[in-house]
Amino acid sequence: MDRAREPSAGGLGVGGALVASGVALALAGAVFAGGASGPGGTLPVGGIALLVLAASLVAVGLGRLPVPNLGRSGALLAASLVALVGWSGATIAWSIAPDRSWDALNKGLAFAVFLGLGAVFSVTAGRVAGRAHAARRARVIGAARGWGRATKTVPSLDEEGSRIARLNEPVDYWNALALLADGALALAVWLGAASDRRAARAAGALLAYAATLSLALSLSRIGIAAGVLVVAFVLALGEQRAEAAVRLAAAAVPAVPIALWTYTRPALVDDGLEPAARQGDALLFGVLALAGAASSVVLASRLSPRPLSVSSRRRIERALVVCGLLAAA
């Protein structure tokens, strides 16, 4: 796992920094104004991304930015997405619900625009593109996690809180929020690999803790299953998977008792309750969540940044295999 060295604006260059800011703005729009799985957020989110992409392509045409080179795999991905979007548009001709087909086409176009942004950013930022984008994603997702916990602490902040108790803010759909938390787990492992940067390790611990708590409060079965697969995949790709697993466990463990406690409080998990009926347990949840966050950072900071011994690493890797088999069962 690469160490999470976040590049500076100077390392990105002026063009890369501008494109990075535009991509971060589009990503924030997708998270906070995406409108869950409905079509309402397609135009504002896709519109922001399209403006950023159009400005970037103009800069490419003027020679201010390098020309994107997708490579063979990137070209295959782009061609597949274009074919899918084209097919979505063609189905409007015989669709029994043309308006739904239009919505699918618009979403596909938005996906294509975001793919174009990724291609432009990868060449403008150069070798630090992945790290720069991951750092910005971590900030955006971390902000989303913070707002979600705020709505559980202050129920009146959630407009749908009196109807649905499952955590869904700011995405407005619990399964989508859970999948966002799964992405946060991968970023947390990446940040935790910054063994020479205490601040990055603390940020990774907070992100892992918040993602685990969000997964539990979303009550999303598909989100939890996907989270297990994401963690397994990221750890399998990492060179120091045992160390990463220990850091991730230390960060996520404080969220488990808090989540189990919330399941015993009808005010936090039962639907159809007014905000006033949730207020008492909600405030207590906020206190416990802050205490858990502090515990997560303390546990992460107490771990030695040095690599584990060979025997310890082997024991942990065997334990990971057992945990993986149990999770699959």
Side-chain angles (χ1 to χ4, degrees):
M1 186 68 61
D2 281 343
R3 293 184 175 183
R5 295 182 180 276
E6 184 182 345
S8 63
L12 285 172
V14 176
L18 290 175
V19 175
S21 299
V23 171
L25 177 62
L27 177 62
V31 172
F32 288 94
S37 60
T42 304
L43 180 59
V45 174
I48 293 174
L50 182 60
L51 289 175
V52 176
L53 180 60
S56 301
L57 292 179
V58 169
V60 170
L62 295 176
R64 301 297 180 88
L65 294 177
V67 178
N69 182 15
L70 297 178
R72 182 178 300 177
S73 58
L76 179 61
L77 173 62
S80 300
L81 182 55
V82 170
L84 178 62
V85 173
W87 177 254
S88 298
T91 60
I92 297 175
W94 61 82
S95 175
I96 61 174
D99 55 335
R100 301 290 296 273
S101 298
W102 268 111
D103 293 339
L105 174 62
N106 290 332
K107 287 184 180 180
L109 290 172
F111 297 155
V113 170
F114 272 93
L115 179 61
L117 281 178
V120 173
F121 182 56
S122 65
V123 295
T124 56
R127 295 181 178 179
V128 298
R131 292 173 179 173
H133 183 55
R136 282 159 176 79
R137 282 184 61 192
R139 292 193 187 102
V140 172
I141 295 177
R145 301 273 73 78
W147 176 253
R149 290 195 305 276
T151 61
K152 295 298 288 186
T153 304
V154 185
S156 59
L157 295 176
D158 186 3
E159 296 179 356
E160 296 291 326
S162 59
R163 186 173 66 89
I164 301 174
R166 301 171 75 172
L167 185 66
N168 59 78
E169 288 289 337
V171 184
D172 295 334
Y173 182 39
W174 45 87
N175 285 332
L177 181 76
L179 294 178
L180 194 64
D182 295 337
L185 288 174
L187 291 170
V189 174
W190 172 73
L191 283 169
S195 58
D196 59 342
R197 294 189 61 185
R198 182 173 299 179
R201 295 201 308 271
L206 283 174
L207 197 59
Y209 166 80
T212 304
L213 195 56
S214 295
L215 276 175
L217 295 178
S218 68
L219 300 176
S220 172
R221 290 167 293 181
I222 186 61
I224 294 174
V228 172
L229 292 177
V230 166
V231 170
F233 183 73
V234 172
L235 292 179
L237 291 179
E239 296 178 357
Q240 297 181 348
R241 60 182 64 90
E243 290 84 351
V246 170
R247 295 188 187 103
L248 184 62
V253 159
V256 176
I258 298 175
L260 293 177
W261 174 79
T262 61
Y263 296 154
T264 68
R265 312 306 299 175
L268 297 177
V269 295
D270 286 357
D271 296 336
L273 297 179
E274 293 298 325
R278 303 184 189 274
Q279 193 63 51
D281 285 341
L283 290 175
L284 182 54
F285 165 78
V287 174
L288 293 176
L290 288 176
S295 301
S296 177
V297 173
V298 170
L299 286 175
S301 64
R302 291 296 180 89
L303 294 176
S304 173
R306 299 175 182 176
L308 296 172
S309 63
V310 176
S311 59
S312 297
R313 185 179 294 110
R314 288 176 178 174
R315 286 196 300 269
I316 293 174
E317 288 178 349
R318 285 195 294 267
L320 288 175
V321 172
V322 173
C323 291
L325 293 175
L326 290 175

